[in-house]
Amino acid sequence: MGMIRNFALVLLAFWAATAAEATPPSPRQPTNAAGQPVRAVDGKRINYTRHDLKPMTARSAPGTAARGALPRAEAATLASWGYAAFGSGIGAAGLVTTTVNGSTEVFATGSTQTFGIGTYWHAQRWNRSRNTFDTVYVSDLLSAGIARLLVARTGPGGAPQIVVGLLNGMLRFHDLQTKALVATTDGACASRGGLRTLAAADLDGNGNDELLSLCADDALTAEGAGYAAWVLAGVGGNELAVGQMDDDAALEIASTSGRVVDSATRAVQWAWPAGFGAHVLSADIDGDGRDELIAADAWYWIYGYDVERQLPSWSLRAELDVGAIALADVNRDGQPDLLVGDGQWGQVSAYRTDNRQLIGAIGNPEHGVTQIATADLDGDGAPELLWGSGATSTGPDHLYVGHWATLTIRWQNPDLVGPFIGPLVGDLDGDGIPEAVVVSTFSDATYGSGRILVFDSRTMVLRAVSQAVAGNFAWLGINDVKLRDIDGDGRIEVLIGADRLYDGLVEAWRFNADNSFSLHWTNTVRPPGSRFQAVEAVDVDGDGRPEVLGAAGGAQGSMLYAYDSLTGAEKWRTLNYAGDVLGLSLGDFDGDGQTDIAVAVRGRGVWIFAASTAQLKAIIDAPLISSLTRLDAHLPQRLLVGHSDGRAVTHAFDGGAQYPAVQSLQLVSTAIDAIEVGRNRTWWVASGGRLMKFGRSTMEYQSADYGPGFGRRVDSIGTRGSVFSGGRYGLLRLDVVP
């Protein structure tokens, strides 16, 4: 009987393990900003009425900076090119389409934080031959937060510029062609508590646009080159619309507060007591020569107002809440159509403006619409619809391109979540031309595993994005990437360190000439509850074939593992160093002619193991360690330790059993995330979201802030005078004077 019972217990355990592998525990489910689920257990979408929806958390910027705290252009160098993740809240602070040198470009804001306001922006150019967007510019991290991005004629002679208004009231002006930052100034709202929103219009008819700002103290301001600036207190509101809305010569400025201001008298000429809701815009939709004011409530109703008569002229009921409105002639009948994006699950709908009849709708696959724009991307004379989606839930965020003729979606961005690890350079497909590789930490708003991105190293055009690695079960993210030929067959694999359902996972992926990816290798036995935070490949036993190394960190054990590169079987493991891994370096650190493995352990220093025996040889006491680098200029090789207090300390073997410090340099005041040693004793130092170049102990170059993790990996990718590095929200190129 006991034998039968034991067999039954073993069988039940096997079934349980099999079920756990086949049906892993469900990850967290997406919610709205109030924490309410947006999908039911069976996957059905949930929409809430105004009475059922809890108050939502206000959007906020992480680490909001005080006015003037952002670096000026002369203090730090901006990237000249980049590839951007679209982030969350796509276009919430600006989604603008325009034509630059004959090509359609889209400028969109993004956020590095769920439910956060925009903290960076990027420019995308539509590539008709590939039917996709190519990134042409990525801004630095604007920690004060973006209130509004727009294109206005504020340059010399009324030349169009990209204007970025920050919440602290600062205004940044970029050249439309090159995207170069040409000016930074405090706007009128900088001394009034900050900026809520920004609009532009030529108020005096001289060909230059004036900037209209709603300030945090409810004042409306107007300013521009050669224009007599003015301020009108008490206007209030969160959005502005400008147009010729009555029969006099001056333009009118309408705020969602319900106030309409005459730009000539600079006084409120009409106040609608109920306010104009959440969204406003203006256009002549009935051909009478005057712009009508169109306003949408946050819930249910959209109105048209005749400002000359100071009365509403029509109303249109929406199904639920309204996320965004826009005007465009989508059916090409010569009449502008009203576009309405739902605020929760739903669609982007188009209505005739003369009779408010629905003429079509495109389903929105994600939760909520931030902004709507239109552009003729393919040159057929018909506009495509663009909208940001997903900002109102913790789920994925996408920019969608909708084809109106078929009411279908023709393009969407992959939702990639940084920090981006890389770049790394190598010939992956065997054609003799190297590729550049970066890897996202997560995808789909952290609900999905990271993905591999491969660029053509000559043109930096994105060739392909892989499927989610680890079977889409790397719930703790990708932690490390290397390019290594793990089996000696001449093909380089992309080696990643991650987890699968919290257990340590290493995968080797191949990239093929047809831009496809294939899983080539993985470890067969995964450390339970311990993700791999660093990976490498080296011949540890002298058989001429490399082993795959994984440095694990986790509550259930932190050990260094070696795996057979053919079978994936475990060959050895070290003792438990009991901490998170900050880096792994290979070298002959004691001069005995054998390979050593140095593991940087948070709070516990550097642990040095013999690669051939897995035995611990020494520990470097460095409780403030934040990064680890090998120095090759000496034999035995030295270890360079970055500290959380900004020191870089070099350690050398003393001939006995210790590695005392032989040099200590105070480089920065924040934690050193990485140091890479370049030519002529140059050090590239990553700290505080910036990349700095040091010659000996003197800083020679400093980048702008591109978010935590920027600068951890640096490579020239064959571009003379430039370096590339992955950051919080993309891959950036910095033009550096050699």
Side-chain angles (χ1 to χ4, degrees):
M1 182 68 70
M3 183 179 295
I4 295 174
R5 182 182 62 187
N6 290 339
F7 175 77
L9 291 174
V10 170
L11 187 61
L12 285 172
F14 170 78
W15 284 342
T18 303
E21 179 67 20
T23 309
S26 298
R28 65 195 191 284
Q29 295 298 315
T31 64
N32 60 28
Q36 296 170 289
V38 297
R39 287 188 184 274
V41 176
D42 60 4
K44 292 183 178 179
R45 298 174 171 186
I46 301 174
N47 279 331
Y48 294 90
T49 67
R50 179 171 53 187
H51 301 292
D52 294 333
L53 189 66
K54 296 177 181 178
M56 292 199 176
T57 304
R59 289 184 175 272
S60 60
T64 299
R67 180 176 63 87
L70 296 179
R72 302 285 180 169
E74 64 269 20
T77 304
L78 296 172
S80 60
W81 173 89
Y83 172 86
F86 281 63
S88 64
I90 299 169
L95 180 63
V96 179
T97 62
T98 189
T99 300
V100 180
N101 297 326
S103 297
T104 300
E105 291 189 358
V106 176
F107 310 142
T109 60
S111 175
T112 58
Q113 186 182 46
T114 301
F115 304 128
I117 53 91
T119 49
Y120 66 98
W121 67 275
H122 49 97
Q124 306 285 337
R125 180 179 298 140
W126 184 254
N127 188 320
R128 291 183 181 178
S129 64
R130 299 172 60 235
N131 289 317
T132 188
F133 282 107
D134 296 328
T135 308
V136 295
Y137 178 79
V138 183
S139 81
D140 52 330
L141 183 69
L142 304 172
S143 58
I146 302 173
R148 182 61 60 187
L149 177 149
L150 48 81
V151 172
R153 296 170 298 172
T154 53
Q161 292 182 319
I162 304 163
V163 184
V164 183
L166 304 184
L167 287 174
N168 60 12
M170 186 178 290
L171 300 176
R172 291 162 58 109
F173 300 85
H174 293 257
D175 182 83
L176 184 66
Q177 309 290 326
T178 66
K179 315 304 181 289
L181 180 64
V182 295
T184 302
T185 184
D186 285 340
C189 292
S191 60
R192 294 180 171 275
L195 177 68
R196 289 181 185 166
T197 194
L198 190 68
D202 184 3
L203 299 182
D204 56 7
N206 68 350
N208 288 355
D209 285 334
E210 281 66 53
L211 293 178
L212 301 161
S213 303
L214 275 176
C215 303
D217 66 355
D218 288 338
L220 171 66
T221 72
E223 57 187 327
Y227 181 80
W230 53 269
V231 177
L232 179 61
V235 173
N238 294 298
E239 284 194 14
L240 293 173
V242 187
Q244 182 52 265
M245 302 182 198
D246 60 16
D247 290 336
D248 63 23
L251 296 179
E252 281 66 47
I253 307 161
S255 170
T256 51
S257 66
R259 292 170 175 83
V260 178
V261 176
D262 185 289
S263 63
T265 65
R266 302 167 187 181
V268 175
Q269 69 177 50
W270 177 38
W272 184 245
F276 294 133
H279 312 285
V280 289
L281 51 81
S282 65
D284 183 5
I285 61 175
D286 57 10
D288 66 354
R290 295 196 308 262
D291 291 332
E292 283 68 47
L293 176 65
I294 299 175
D297 284 345
W299 289 89
Y300 300 122
W301 289 101
I302 303 169
Y303 294 89
Y305 293 91
D306 186 325
V307 174
E308 174 67 24
R309 298 173 58 238
Q310 298 188 0
L311 289 172
S313 53
W314 54 263
S315 61
L316 172 68
R317 181 178 170 86
E319 185 174 348
L320 278 173
D321 53 332
V322 178
I325 58 174
L327 286 168
D329 183 8
V330 295
N331 59 0
R332 293 189 288 176
D333 65 354
Q335 178 76 9
D337 305 303
L338 175 63
L339 307 177
V340 180
D342 292 332
Q344 299 180 69
W345 297 112
Q347 56 197 17
V348 177
S349 306
Y351 298 86
R352 291 180 61 94
T353 49
D354 55 356
N355 58 19
R356 271 70 65 194
Q357 294 299 306
L358 179 67
I359 58 176
I362 303 179
N364 179 25
E366 276 303 329
H367 195 269
V369 175
T370 54
Q371 295 283 345
I372 304 171
T374 59
D376 180 10
L377 299 179
D378 54 15
D380 65 354
E384 278 73 41
L385 269 62
L386 297 87
W387 69 93
S389 182
T392 49
S393 85
T394 59
D397 291 68
H398 294 287
L399 176 68
Y400 291 109
V401 174
H403 187 244
W404 183 255
T406 59
L407 300 180
T408 59
I409 292 173
R410 63 180 300 185
W411 184 90
Q412 68 183 63
N413 64 289
D415 183 350
L416 304 173
V417 182
F420 284 75
I421 306 172
L424 304 123
V425 181
D427 182 8
L428 301 182
D429 56 8
D431 64 355
I433 301 170
E435 283 73 45
V437 177
V438 294
V439 177
S440 68
T441 302
F442 294 100
S443 63
D444 291 339
T446 74
Y447 289 90
S449 301
R451 300 171 71 174
I452 305 166
L453 290 77
V454 177
F455 295 82
D456 184 310
S457 66
R458 299 162 301 179
T459 64
M460 293 309 294
V461 169
L462 179 64
R463 286 183 57 180
V465 180
S466 77
Q467 62 267 49
V469 303
N472 208 25
F473 294 132
W475 290 350
L476 298 176
I478 296 178
N479 301 287
D480 193 21
V481 181
K482 298 291 193 317
L483 300 187
R484 298 290 185 266
D485 177 5
I486 67 169
D487 50 12
D489 66 351
R491 286 284 303 275
I492 295 177
E493 287 81 39
V494 182
L495 194 67
I496 65 167
D499 74 288
R500 180 183 171 90
L501 306 176
Y502 309 115
D503 299 339
L505 176 74
V506 183
E507 288 185 338
W509 287 82
R510 280 191 165 173
F511 179 69
N512 307 306
D514 63 356
N515 292 335
S516 66
F517 295 84
S518 55
L519 180 61
H520 180 65
W521 180 94
T522 187
N523 55 321
T524 57
V525 178
R526 298 189 287 269
S530 299
R531 57 179 169 166
F532 282 122
Q533 296 174 310
V535 291
E536 253 301 352
V538 65
D539 183 5
V540 301
D541 53 14
D543 65 355
R545 183 164 49 83
E547 279 69 42
V548 175
L549 303 180
Q556 298 188 39
S558 301
M559 291 173 276
L560 180 64
Y561 293 79
Y563 294 97
D564 188 284
S565 60
L566 293 181
T567 66
E570 181 184 322
K571 301 189 78 167
W572 55 249
R573 70 179 72 174
T574 66
L575 55 77
N576 181 20
Y577 41 75
D580 284 331
V581 176
L582 298 172
L584 184 154
S585 188
L586 305 176
D588 181 6
F589 301 124
D590 56 9
D592 65 355
Q594 303 295 314
T595 300
D596 301 314
I597 307 169
V599 181
V601 184
R602 188 187 305 276
R604 296 174 63 82
V606 182
W607 294 50
I608 302 174
F609 297 92
S612 58
T613 65
Q615 295 301 304
L616 180 66
K617 300 174 72 173
I619 299 176
I620 298 175
D621 183 25
L624 296 179
I625 189 169
S626 57
S627 65
L628 179 67
T629 310
R630 182 187 71 185
L631 291 175
D632 292 329
H634 303 81
L635 193 66
Q637 291 162 332
R638 298 183 174 186
L639 287 164
L640 180 58
V641 177
H643 286 246
S644 58
D645 60 3
R647 288 179 300 128
V649 182
T650 303
H651 294 264
F653 185 60
D654 65 359
Q658 302 299 316
Y659 290 78
V662 296
Q663 185 185 46
S664 179
L665 298 172
Q666 186 73 49
L667 298 181
V668 291
S669 60
T670 51
I672 295 176
D673 298 324
I675 302 176
E676 290 209 14
V677 181
R679 301 184 185 93
N680 302 321
R681 298 183 181 180
T682 296
W683 287 1
W684 292 99
V685 178
S687 180
R690 300 175 186 270
L691 178 63
M692 291 156 278
K693 179 183 177 183
F694 284 83
R696 297 183 180 272
S697 60
T698 303
M699 184 188 297
E700 300 176 350
Y701 167 88
Q702 179 180 206
S703 77
D705 183 0
Y706 288 95
F710 179 63
R712 290 186 300 174
R713 302 276 178 89
V714 180
D715 202 290
S716 64
I717 314 187
T719 305
R720 189 172 184 178
S722 299
V723 294
F724 294 77
S725 187
R728 177 66 181 84
Y729 48 87
L731 173 67
L732 290 306
R733 182 181 71 203
L734 301 162
D735 294 335
V736 183
V737 177

